[in-house]
Amino acid sequence: MNATMRRWRDAAEVYRDRKQLTILLQGFASGMPLLLTLSSLSYWLSKVGVDLKTIGLFALVGAPYTFKFVWAPLVDQLAIPVLDRLLGRRRSWMLVSQVALVACITGLGWSDPTVDPWWTALFAVLIAFFSATQDIAIDAYRIEALAEHEQGAGSATTQLGYRVALWTVDALVLLLPAFMSWPAVFTILAALMASTLVITLMSPEPKVARRPFTTAADWALGAVVAPFAEFIRYRGWLLVLLFAMFYKFGDAIGGTMTRPFLVALGFSGPEIFGVTKSFGVAGTLLGGIVGGVVVARYGLFKALLIGGALQAVTNLLFAWQAVAGHDVVVLTVAITIDNFTGSMGAIALVAYLSSLCTSGMAGTQYALFTSLTALGRTVMSSGSGYLAESVSWPAFWALTTLLAVPGLALVAGLWWLHRARPAPSSPSPPT
């Protein structure tokens, strides 16, 4: 028993590194703008009287998150004059993105969607674009700054900062409009975004050897072709791409229908908010921390199997909820445990995909992976409503559990492939 506890304690030691604090704060900066193109934006539009059809069209402003791999090579390889020499490649792109975000958030708040929604849409698209650009730089920073055995903890601390930012923005948008105007609320959000500049300026730049480019053709090959060619050399690369799309597919299908499901059971907005923003957030944060320790203790593939299996099985808690009906106790149990296991799976996923990236090309390669996960989360889960209307709610949640099986099978296949046929010429396979 003492030996087991000692191994777990040693695995948790990775969180004591000061680099993890930097990663935590950068996760906060990454999470700050996201809701301003999602639920916070739609809430604001509905409160000022924009019709539902227009609000639905505003969902398209988040498209840059799906296509960020297109300009990721620029973030990887293009040096910003002066700033690159002073701050380095990663921090210079973070700084430019954050300054642009401060300006765009302010512009969004002072636009009037009831009079001229095109200006509101423009600012929202720009927020999504610069937010996605910041994510490219921050993800690459984390991958290059941490050793392979630290990636699990780095994924956990990133998610912790990210979730704190989401909770903060959501709370400000929901609570402050009762006391002040919407432009004032967005000005406060812009000021909070401006505080992340301090994080960027105080973070040490990762030391990465960069290849100089002599011609435009050389740059195109090194910046655009090389990251993808390097990844394709990795044995099992096609399975990796499928894995990125399907690992959380069952969760994505269920997540899309969770709010409509709870409304159908008669839960009020305050009941949903009270559970999800307290017990749900606590479960997410704790699951992230435990997930990082599990990665360090058991390795990436075991952590992926454990997290994937748990996040699939806990969807059955909502089948229990469907049978129990309007029961806040059951809802609390379901939300807490589901968020805990979903966060564990997410940490293992981020750590694994990070381990596949090559220093100097990490921004482009990781952007490709996250674009595929976004595809699975959005486009591929768009049929969830049709499924929910075709079957009962208990059957729906049972099916979301079964839909997780392909992702787990891909994990098993990748693990077998790397154990059976290691590829020395490719990036080192994870353990």
Side-chain angles (χ1 to χ4, degrees):
M1 182 67 178
N2 289 337
T4 300
M5 292 298 295
R6 188 162 52 250
R7 285 194 293 269
W8 277 94
R9 184 191 62 208
D10 292 342
E13 279 294 310
V14 69
Y15 285 109
R16 296 173 62 88
D17 194 312
R18 290 183 62 182
K19 289 183 291 186
Q20 297 294 340
L21 176 60
T22 298
I23 301 301
L24 173 71
L25 296 174
Q26 288 179 352
F28 181 87
S30 181
M32 263 294 301
L34 179 64
L35 288 186
L36 299 181
T37 62
L38 297 173
S39 58
S40 293
L41 176 63
S42 61
Y43 179 76
W44 172 45
L45 295 176
S46 64
K47 294 296 287 186
V48 298
V50 177
D51 63 271
L52 292 177
K53 183 179 179 181
T54 303
I55 292 175
L57 291 175
F58 265 87
L60 296 174
V61 303
Y65 289 106
T66 303
F67 297 103
K68 62 184 179 180
F69 68 91
V70 174
W71 68 92
L74 293 176
V75 180
D76 258 344
Q77 306 297 345
L78 183 63
I80 299 175
V82 182
L83 287 179
D84 191 81
R85 178 172 53 83
L86 295 176
L87 300 177
R89 186 67 45 83
R90 301 312 180 195
R91 292 196 300 157
S92 61
W93 277 99
M94 286 183 212
L95 188 71
V96 168
S97 301
Q98 288 160 357
V99 170
L101 282 167
V102 172
C104 292
I105 292 171
T106 304
L108 179 68
W110 287 88
S111 67
D112 189 341
T114 61
V115 175
D116 195 347
W118 290 107
W119 278 107
T120 303
L122 174 62
F123 281 119
V125 169
L126 289 174
I127 289 172
F129 173 79
F130 288 113
S131 176
T133 303
Q134 178 190 227
D135 287 349
I136 295 168
I138 286 178
D139 289 333
Y141 181 102
R142 183 191 73 250
I143 293 165
E144 294 171 351
L146 300 179
E148 183 175 330
H149 74 279
E150 298 172 316
Q151 292 295 339
S155 302
T157 50
T158 295
Q159 289 295 311
L160 176 60
Y162 194 84
R163 297 291 178 177
V164 170
L166 295 182
W167 189 95
T168 302
V169 171
D170 209 18
L172 292 177
V173 169
L174 290 171
L175 300 177
L176 288 185
F179 308 100
M180 60 184 68
S181 67
W182 280 104
V185 172
F186 278 91
T187 301
I188 291 174
L189 292 172
L192 189 59
M193 188 71 229
S195 70
T196 64
L197 297 173
V198 179
I199 301 169
T200 298
L201 293 173
M202 295 186 66
S203 302
E205 179 75 4
K207 293 180 173 59
V208 177
R210 299 192 182 279
R211 171 192 166 190
F213 300 113
T214 55
T215 66
D218 186 35
W219 187 92
L221 287 173
V224 181
V225 177
F228 299 106
E230 177 75 14
F231 170 68
I232 290 174
R233 290 174 58 216
Y234 188 84
R235 195 181 302 279
W237 64 271
L238 184 57
L239 287 182
V240 171
L241 297 182
L242 291 172
F243 160 79
M245 286 191 289
F246 284 103
Y247 181 66
K248 293 186 77 69
F249 182 51
D251 255 20
I253 292 288
T256 304
M257 285 292 106
T258 299
R259 291 290 174 90
F261 164 65
L262 297 179
V263 170
L265 293 183
F267 286 100
S268 66
E271 287 174 325
I272 296 171
F273 179 84
V275 173
T276 58
K277 297 303 178 183
S278 55
F279 292 97
V281 170
T284 298
L285 298 182
L286 183 58
I289 294 171
V290 172
V293 176
V294 169
V295 170
R297 172 69 180 85
Y298 294 110
L300 286 169
F301 285 115
K302 287 183 180 178
L304 284 168
L305 286 174
I306 293 170
L310 289 176
Q311 73 185 12
V313 171
T314 52
N315 278 359
L316 295 175
L317 291 171
F318 292 102
W320 175 34
Q321 181 78 68
V323 174
H326 185 276
D327 189 321
V328 176
V329 174
V330 175
L331 177 64
T332 302
V333 173
I335 291 291
T336 304
I337 297 177
D338 184 68
N339 283 19
F340 177 86
T341 58
S343 185
M344 283 185 64
I347 295 308
L349 174 65
V350 171
Y352 175 66
L353 296 179
S354 299
S355 74
L356 301 177
C357 298
T358 305
S359 290
M361 307 176 181
T364 300
Q365 292 173 336
Y366 194 78
L368 172 64
F369 297 145
T370 52
S371 294
L372 289 170
T373 58
L375 181 68
R377 186 178 65 248
T378 54
V379 177
M380 292 175 60
S381 64
S382 60
S384 58
Y386 292 97
L387 178 62
E389 287 187 348
S390 302
V391 298
S392 66
W393 281 117
F396 171 82
W397 292 108
L399 286 171
T400 64
T401 298
L402 293 177
L403 288 172
V405 172
L408 293 173
L410 287 166
V411 174
L414 286 169
W415 193 6
W416 175 85
L417 181 64
H418 292 303
R419 286 171 63 93
R421 296 189 298 165
S425 61
S426 303
S428 300
T431 56

